[in-house]
Amino acid sequence: MTLAASFAAALARIDDHAPFLRQLVRQRPEIVAATVGEGGLPAALAEARADAADRPVAEALRRERQGVALAVALADLAGAAPLEAVCAALSDFADRALDRAIAAAIEERTPGAEPAGFAALALGKHGSGELNYSSDIDPILIFDPATLPLRPREDATEGAVRIARRIVALLQERTADGYVLRVDLRLRPAPEASPLALPVEAALGHYETSALPWERAAFIRARAAAGDVALGTRFLEQIRPFVWRRSLDFGAIGEVRALSRRIRDHHGRIDRPGPGYDVKRSRGGIREVEFFAQIHQLIHGGREPALRAPATLDALAALAAAGRIGPDEAETLAGAYRLLRTVEHRLQMVDDRQTHRLPADPDALDGVARLHGLADGAALVALLDPPTAAVGRIYDALDGETVDRLPASAAALAEAAGAMGYADGAAAAARVAGWREGGAPALRSPAAQAALEAVLPELLPALGRGTDANGALNRFDDLVRRLPSAVNLFRLLEARPGLIDRLAAILATAPALAEALARRADLLDVLIGGGAALPPPVHRLAGELAAGERGDDYQALLDRVRLGVGERRFALGVALIEGSEPPLAVGAGYGRVAEAAIEALAAATVAEFEDQHGRVHGGELVILGFGRLGGGTLTHASDLDIVYLFTGDFAAESDGRRPVGATQYFNRLAQRVSAALSVPTAAGPLYEVDTRLRPSGTQGLLAVSTDSFRRYQAESAWTWEHMALTRARPLFGSGAARAEVAGIVAEALARPRDPAALRVDVARMRAEIARHKPPAGPLDVKLIEGGLVDAEFAVHLLQLAERRAFDPRVDVAAAELAGAGLLAPGFPAAYALLTEMLIALRLVAPGSGEPGTEGQAIVARACGAGDWPALMVAYADSRALVAGEWRRVAGLAASQLADRPHPRPLP
């Protein structure tokens, strides 16, 4: 067939099977004429450039792209241009378009400035001059802050990012003339966190210290393509040692094998040509030829510069010439590569889509085949079958190692994860793929990747055994992402298989502990070390928390207390989850830890404050604990309800260089103590502090004198404030100061009250809580009808009405009241069960939702029930008893509350 006849046949096939090209043929007849003329493809490309020369940049680039797309396709389909010429023409246009977009973006922002200091590095097929017909480009944009043109007082990174955004818009936005190139900037270092354009020094630092194996492979084909090419070339010269390593150590071999395994069965569900086969990613496809060449280049290119050819066909020839692969292998792979790339172009010419899959629709598959000059889709499949099978066999031989490891392909891993118990196997597979790709900084070293692969076969099934396997996996991901390095963690888990099961149980069942682990991976030491979970007495523990090195400052103390408290709380949570301690003992442990933290931090803050501001003679700070803190039993999630008081004369002054009145002095000191207890430091958070129970609530002073406190309780306090006093307990201050405050509390509680009025006030307050704080669900054991609030209100009402059983521990007070016949005999046990459930549920279901199967088993065991259904029966019985006792003790019908004034709103 003559060349003219070939062009005529190509135009006919275009008209029948390629809508995108058919439209271009009608729009750009001058490009068709140039292509079929004597000048051929070069003349047509020149015509496209000339047509675009004097147009505005956005229009010019799109017009030139139309001409290039049409000329290249027509020459390719007619057999007038080999694959190399086709790819070169597409790649050269991408260079020109990118270069012109960079120059235009800089000119728009800084007119007249030289387009210096900004370079585009071409990677992948663009870098090697092998772009496919509808390919995107994957540049890395770098800039030199010293030479980049900027506007006055503009930050260099901000200016570079604006330039990058404009470049992308010029190339990618669709107009009436179409688009120029799709631009993907995700190959830059840490794309989730880094700017679109990177300073040269930052990019160098990444490739010298933390780049990943796939980035080494990507830079085999990198080149400075546009912009300040000299800047880009210097950069590539500087990172050459990162790409081409002269010595091949064990870690590098591991990298090569990991690359091989990850790609070998990528998109491998359809592993032979047919409908849906991916000519790029499926077994025997383009990617396998490319990686076969690149793996050998990575292995040998450090010592043999002749092997560093960017283009795949050149690399195969160089490897064969050097004896690194057999000549038959090189010939087979090269032939397959040419065919696969050509078919890839046919797929993309139909509608200018970046697709690599053979159509699933038979008619569409026939259309692609006929565009290529074949009879039908079956002929195309038959043409592809032998070379892809040969590529698959050659590529399979790269990795003969058989180890116990998880599948590499997303599909196979998703299927395996589903079998392990993950409800969303695809999400689990994606999470593992992210680890393998170094998505977290802790996983970017070869050592970390090797340690990860070693532990995954045990870790993934262990996490999968929980009801919320995907949630557990995500929590483990949170942990890994906060580590500076994951090597030691994975090696530790590999060396101690039992530790994996303990860790998995926590991640699967205890979100609060998982969150603590994510913040502080060193808490794993608690799992390893074992030991007693219950803390020692408060004063001893406070001494341990405060003990430091000589010369430690106040900030070091804050950090040390946070670390110590975090370890103690974590150990208590683990003890409950694993069943080594019952909930009430754990709750009391939480209480002692909080009291010790208050004692250690308040004492240190007082000393620090006195150093700066002197002392108020005759006065001292007292901290009064309320609620669960006052009662000595907390949950993992409890905040601290405290009130600050001070003894002595409120009119006194401090003895510092600048005397301060006592009220101002102790209020500023109280603010410092609250900050010490609540403000997060580098060592993490501590407690939430709630001071709304102070006299006059949030409208009152943070710290008041004990005389003012006594007067307020005697003259102004509301009923609910006296109810709160039933659990008030001094936690910090001298023995004398604590005794003074305890006396004030006792006086306020012992005052006579009208029982009927008291019941009305308390019942109304309970109704207010029910209106404004409804239960979050059936397991909200605190707020639900017959729950802890009802139980506590019944106890506090009786305490105030009967003026007895004033113990801040509600369980002790309830037992005394039941013993006196004022509460049902079963009330203390019902209250204990509700408290146990609260402590356990705050760990396994902090949102008051129903825990999963494992969580249910943990809570049931902790509460002494045989199983979850048995616990639910006991829970219902306890609630019924408490609700009945509350209604009996309150003793008023709703109608009797209607005319009473509302009490001051509760905090």
Side-chain angles (χ1 to χ4, degrees), residues 71-134:
V72 164
L74 185 53
D76 185 2
L77 288 167
L83 176 68
E84 291 88 340
V86 169
C87 294
L90 295 168
S91 302
D92 290 346
F93 167 70
D95 288 358
R96 289 195 306 277
L98 190 51
D99 190 69
R100 191 165 178 185
I102 291 172
I106 292 175
E107 173 67 20
E108 288 174 2
R109 305 190 76 256
T110 51
E114 287 292 320
F118 194 100
L121 307 176
L123 271 67
K125 290 186 176 70
H126 183 199
S128 60
E130 301 173 293
L131 272 184
N132 57 55
Y133 189 76
S134 292

Side-chain angles (χ1 to χ4, degrees), residues 805-848:
F806 289 123
D807 193 299
R809 297 166 294 177
V810 177
D811 58 331
V812 174
E816 183 177 335
L817 292 169
L822 297 171
L823 281 173
F827 188 96
Y831 180 79
L833 177 67
L834 294 172
T835 304
E836 289 172 336
M837 289 183 66
L838 179 74
I839 294 168
L841 287 168
R842 284 290 186 265
L843 277 175
V844 304
S848 297

Side-chain angles (χ1 to χ4, degrees), residues 346-369:
R346 303 295 177 264
L347 291 167
Q348 296 173 351
M349 287 173 182
V350 175
D351 286 313
D352 191 25
R353 290 177 54 235
Q354 189 188 9
T355 181
H356 312 279
R357 289 190 180 275
L358 298 184
D361 177 68
D363 291 340
L365 182 60
D366 287 344
V368 172

Side-chain angles (χ1 to χ4, degrees), residues 593-859:
V593 170
E595 288 182 51
I598 291 170
E599 187 170 313
L601 289 174
T605 304
V606 167
E608 176 88 356
F609 196 80
E610 289 177 350
D611 251 1
Q612 298 172 5
H613 304 286
R615 302 179 62 185
V616 175
H617 289 285
E620 65 174 290
L621 185 73
V622 184
I623 298 177
L624 190 59
F626 284 77
R628 295 198 172 281
L629 176 64
T633 300
L634 299 180
T635 72
H636 187 88
S638 291
D639 56 10
L640 306 182
D641 292 309
I642 58 179
V643 166
Y644 295 105
L645 306 173
F646 62 91
T647 62
D649 183 359
F650 70 87
E653 291 187 333
S654 69
D655 59 8
R657 284 180 288 111
R658 288 182 161 182
V660 179
T663 298
Q664 183 182 0
Y665 179 97
F666 285 110
N667 271 270
R668 289 172 61 189
L669 175 56
Q671 288 174 340
R672 295 277 186 92
V673 174
S674 284
L677 287 166
S678 61
V679 174
T681 74
L686 196 57
Y687 292 103
E688 293 290 329
V689 173
D690 189 341
T691 59
R692 291 176 296 172
L693 289 174
R694 64 187 186 269
S696 300
T698 55
Q699 305 303 312
L701 291 170
L702 183 59
V704 300
S705 70
T706 50
D707 286 342
S708 296
F709 185 66
R710 175 183 283 109
R711 189 164 52 254
Y712 179 86
Q713 295 299 336
E715 300 172 3
S716 305
W718 296 74
T719 299
W720 70 259
E721 291 176 288
H722 284 169
M723 288 177 65
L725 279 184
T726 61
R727 286 201 279 179
R729 181 166 57 96
L731 303 177
F732 177 79
S734 66
R738 293 190 194 207
E740 179 185 349
V741 171
I744 296 171
V745 171
E747 289 172 15
L749 293 177
R751 61 180 285 189
R753 291 173 173 81
D754 176 356
L758 175 66
R759 283 179 169 81
V760 170
D761 280 351
V762 175
R764 186 179 293 283
M765 282 184 284
R766 181 63 185 99
E768 284 288 306
I769 291 175
R771 269 194 297 273
H772 296 295
K773 290 184 178 180
L779 290 178
D780 188 344
V781 298
K782 182 177 177 181
L783 293 172
I784 199 167
E785 183 182 0
L788 285 166
V789 171
D790 282 352
E792 288 158 3
F793 266 55
V795 170
H796 299 332
L797 194 160
L798 286 172
Q799 287 174 303
L800 295 177
E802 301 293 331
R803 288 185 285 170
R804 64 183 298 169
F806 289 123
D807 193 299
R809 297 166 294 177
V810 177
D811 58 331
V812 174
E816 183 177 335
L817 292 169
L822 297 171
L823 281 173
F827 188 96
Y831 180 79
L833 177 67
L834 294 172
T835 304
E836 289 172 336
M837 289 183 66
L838 179 74
I839 294 168
L841 287 168
R842 284 290 186 265
L843 277 175
V844 304
S848 297
E850 184 169 309
T853 305
E854 294 81 5
Q856 292 177 3
I858 288 169
V859 176

Side-chain angles (χ1 to χ4, degrees), residues 297-446:
Q297 288 176 293
L298 284 176
I299 293 172
H300 305 293
R303 290 185 175 274
E304 301 177 49
L307 302 182
R308 300 175 187 176
T312 301
L313 293 174
D314 294 342
L316 290 170
L319 289 165
R324 294 302 178 184
I325 64 175
D328 292 343
E329 282 183 326
E331 183 178 353
T332 298
L333 293 171
Y337 185 76
R338 287 178 183 279
L339 174 62
L340 288 163
R341 289 299 310 276
T342 301
V343 172
E344 178 184 48
H345 288 176
R346 303 295 177 264
L347 291 167
Q348 296 173 351
M349 287 173 182
V350 175
D351 286 313
D352 191 25
R353 290 177 54 235
Q354 189 188 9
T355 181
H356 312 279
R357 289 190 180 275
L358 298 184
D361 177 68
D363 291 340
L365 182 60
D366 287 344
V368 172
R370 288 166 186 155
L371 182 63
H372 188 60
L374 298 173
D376 53 26
L380 178 59
V381 169
L383 179 66
L384 290 172
D385 196 55
T388 55
V391 170
R393 285 193 301 271
I394 293 170
Y395 193 74
D396 286 345
L398 272 178
D399 190 9
E401 184 184 45
T402 56
V403 293
D404 183 17
R405 64 186 311 280
L406 294 176
S409 76
L413 184 54
E415 186 176 339
M420 292 175 192
Y422 292 87
D424 190 341
R431 186 72 70 190
V432 173
W435 297 342
R436 285 170 160 171
E437 291 166 5
L443 291 170
R444 289 185 176 170
S445 70

Side-chain angles (χ1 to χ4, degrees), residues 241-331:
F242 153 71
V243 183
W244 304 112
R245 299 177 184 175
R246 292 189 59 79
S247 60
L248 188 68
D249 59 17
F250 178 82
I253 294 172
E255 291 177 20
V256 172
R257 286 178 172 166
L259 284 169
S260 170
R261 284 192 288 260
R262 270 203 295 275
I263 198 63
R264 184 175 57 186
D265 51 359
H266 192 61
H267 288 226
R269 283 285 191 179
I270 301 174
D271 60 2
R272 290 189 62 180
Y277 178 82
D278 191 317
V279 298
K280 180 179 179 180
R281 301 180 182 91
S282 290
R283 183 178 184 273
I286 294 166
R287 187 66 66 79
E288 293 195 352
V289 179
E290 293 172 340
F291 266 74
F292 182 90
Q294 290 166 17
I295 285 169
H296 285 86
Q297 288 176 293
L298 284 176
I299 293 172
H300 305 293
R303 290 185 175 274
E304 301 177 49
L307 302 182
R308 300 175 187 176
T312 301
L313 293 174
D314 294 342
L316 290 170
L319 289 165
R324 294 302 178 184
I325 64 175
D328 292 343
E329 282 183 326
E331 183 178 353

